Amino acid sequence: MGVPVFLGTQTMPMEVFIQIEGEATDLPASVLREAISHGGALRPLLVRYTEAALLSQIVQSGACNRLHPIDQRCARWLFLSHDRMPGDTFPLTEEFLSQMLGVRRATVTAAARGAGGSSSPIWQAWKPRRASATGSSARSTSA
């Protein structure tokens, strides 16, 4: 989540949510700024990532949120999560998924039932857990 620093901010004005257990690296913003200032391949790589990955994902998500019903939005979010996982299962809570989609938890439950429930491969891969088991958050303040 170093994009705000890459774009010139002094702090990261957002929260980072850990969606699924795994490994991550905490890099101080000063180290990223120093690496970018040396030139080389890092800056063009970050520009391409920001334009191609982040901005297009933001635009696509906005369009999907406006045009598609909740069961399709939920399935899309689960497919995107699945694509980033090393295996075929990914434990997320219904509560967390509801936060990501901007709907009530009961709406996510209803969408899962309406989208084929246990017969759909994506719903089979999703293993909902209780809210206390995942969805940790951390506030980044490194500058």
Side-chain angles (χ1 to χ4, degrees), residues 52-102:
L54 292 182
L55 294 179
S56 65
Q57 189 175 50
I58 290 168
V59 169
Q60 182 71 37
S61 292
C64 284
N65 288 343
R66 172 68 176 101
L67 299 173
H68 298 294
I70 188 62
D71 59 331
Q72 291 176 2
R73 291 171 31 214
C74 192
R76 178 181 182 273
W77 207 92
L78 290 171
F79 275 119
L80 289 173
S81 297
H82 181 263
D83 287 347
R84 290 166 175 82
M85 295 303 303
D88 282 335
T89 61
F90 44 103
L92 295 171
T93 65
E94 289 177 342
E95 180 68 29
F96 183 77
L97 187 55
S98 72
Q99 290 173 358
M100 295 297 102
L101 294 169

Side-chain angles (χ1 to χ4, degrees), residues 9 13 20 23 41 45 60 78 81 86 92 101 109-110 128 141:
T9 63
I20 298 172
E23 294 183 27
L45 181 66
Q60 182 71 37
L78 290 171
S81 297
L92 295 171
L101 294 169
T109 303
T141 57

Side-chain angles (χ1 to χ4, degrees), residues 82-143:
H82 181 263
D83 287 347
R84 290 166 175 82
M85 295 303 303
D88 282 335
T89 61
F90 44 103
L92 295 171
T93 65
E94 289 177 342
E95 180 68 29
F96 183 77
L97 187 55
S98 72
Q99 290 173 358
M100 295 297 102
L101 294 169
V103 297
R104 295 180 23 235
R105 186 196 54 76
T107 304
V108 170
T109 303
R113 288 187 189 125
S118 61
S119 64
S120 170
I122 193 65
W123 298 106
Q124 288 176 5
W126 178 38
K127 305 291 184 204
R129 295 198 298 185
R130 297 196 188 283
S132 62
T134 187
S136 302
S137 69
R139 178 101 177 143
S140 177
T141 57
S142 49

Side-chain angles (χ1 to χ4, degrees), residues 31-47:
V31 174
L32 179 59
R33 282 191 202 97
E34 180 68 24
I36 292 169
S37 72
H38 288 297
L42 182 59
R43 183 172 184 72
L45 181 66
L46 289 173
V47 168

